[in-house]
Amino acid sequence: MAISVVSADDQEMVRTGFRMILESQPDIEVLADVVDAEAALAAVAEHRPDVLLLDIRMPRLDGLDVTRRLSGSDRPRIVIVTTFDLDEYVHAALHGGASGFLLKDASPAMLVEAVRAAAVGDSLVSPAVTVRLLREMAPKTPAAQARRPSEPLTERERDVVRCLARGMTNAEIAGELYVSLSTVKTHLANVQAKLDARNRVEIAAWARESGLALTNTAKHAATATAVRVTLRTVPAGLEVRIADDGGRPARLSEKARGGGYGLAGMTERAEALGGHLTAGPSPEGGWVVTAVLPL
């Protein structure tokens, strides 16, 4: 069954563009596109769509007012699509119950993904907005003071949370971890219950404040006072060396030696380019990452 959509924007070109993008997908149907917020409320009452796309600034009533008014279990999932990248709009939309927040310069693929995510109860926020939002939500307190889950997260649940904190949708997490979509949803439901979190944003914020989402570099960067980046040509190609004078991670587990703390992803990328990457403590003190890539 197709995902039904209503869009509201006071610019005809935007409405036409959204309709063309969405109706090119076999699983999405645009029931109506309207010019203002009051018309959006009427269209929702008439068509009862799965997803409502809303601009923020429209005549008489804005999209945030519509988001707040459409309360109740039978409300459509709301995705805000706007040109205004303002923190107060982001907070108002998400606190009002919006399932997504996109900027109008987002790609057509991201618009389609936001609609699909909202339709199944997920959320998608523009990556730049997500990073800023999480920075604001993360308290300036030590990780030890972050809320404690009611019971420890499993290793797989921790993997899922790390991906979520990077802004991935459920489908992207499933692809990243080679598991089914239903498995991802089960893990997130378990994590949400263990953290007593209201939504995905709170889970991602916890991942930041607890240190779970931090890379190894971020975990020990607080002790660094300088970072040196050097590039030079070597017989195998171009060598990129990044070193700091921070302390070595207190615990370098077997998993870390085998590519944990984000090293696996960097190593895979280097190898995909035909090069290689190494990481470890520097003889001068601190930590050093060296990548050699073919020219």
Side-chain angles (χ1 to χ4, degrees), residues 84-101:
F84 301 100
D85 183 14
L86 301 177
D87 289 344
E88 57 265 34
Y89 287 163
V90 178
H91 287 289
L94 296 179
H95 284 300
S99 296
F101 192 102

Side-chain angles (χ1 to χ4, degrees), residues 112-147:
V112 171
E113 182 64 22
V115 168
R116 288 175 175 156
V120 298
D122 292 341
S123 59
L124 191 151
V125 178
S126 288
V129 175
T130 300
V131 172
R132 191 174 69 244
L133 183 65
L134 291 176
R135 284 174 179 167
E136 292 171 0
M137 291 182 68
K140 305 297 189 266
T141 56
Q145 296 182 28
R147 80 169 84 175

Side-chain angles (χ1 to χ4, degrees), residues 119-257:
V120 298
D122 292 341
S123 59
L124 191 151
V125 178
S126 288
V129 175
T130 300
V131 172
R132 191 174 69 244
L133 183 65
L134 291 176
R135 284 174 179 167
E136 292 171 0
M137 291 182 68
K140 305 297 189 266
T141 56
Q145 296 182 28
R147 80 169 84 175
R148 293 183 178 276
S150 59
E151 59 182 280
L153 273 60
T154 66
E155 189 59 39
R156 192 45 118 185
E157 287 169 352
R158 293 165 67 86
D159 291 339
V160 170
V161 171
R162 289 189 189 97
C163 290
L164 185 150
R166 288 161 53 194
M168 291 184 176
T169 64
N170 284 0
E172 290 171 335
I173 295 173
E176 176 82 3
L177 301 179
Y178 301 101
V179 297
S180 69
L181 188 60
S182 61
T183 298
V184 172
K185 291 179 179 179
T186 298
H187 286 318
L188 285 176
N190 291 340
V191 171
Q192 189 167 342
K194 290 179 179 180
L195 296 177
D196 192 24
R198 291 175 297 179
N199 50 45
R200 296 166 64 91
V201 174
E202 284 196 0
I203 295 175
W206 174 82
R208 292 257 176 162
E209 67 190 37
S210 67
L212 180 61
L214 296 178
T215 63
N216 188 55
T217 301
K219 286 178 179 177
H220 81 281
T223 62
T225 59
V227 176
R228 301 181 301 281
V229 180
T230 57
L231 292 88
R232 64 170 182 161
T233 56
V234 295
L238 176 68
E239 180 187 84
V240 182
R241 187 175 187 270
I242 304 173
D244 66 29
D245 60 355
R248 179 177 176 174
R251 243 180 110 192
L252 188 61
S253 65
E254 289 300 323
K255 179 178 178 181
R257 293 190 186 97

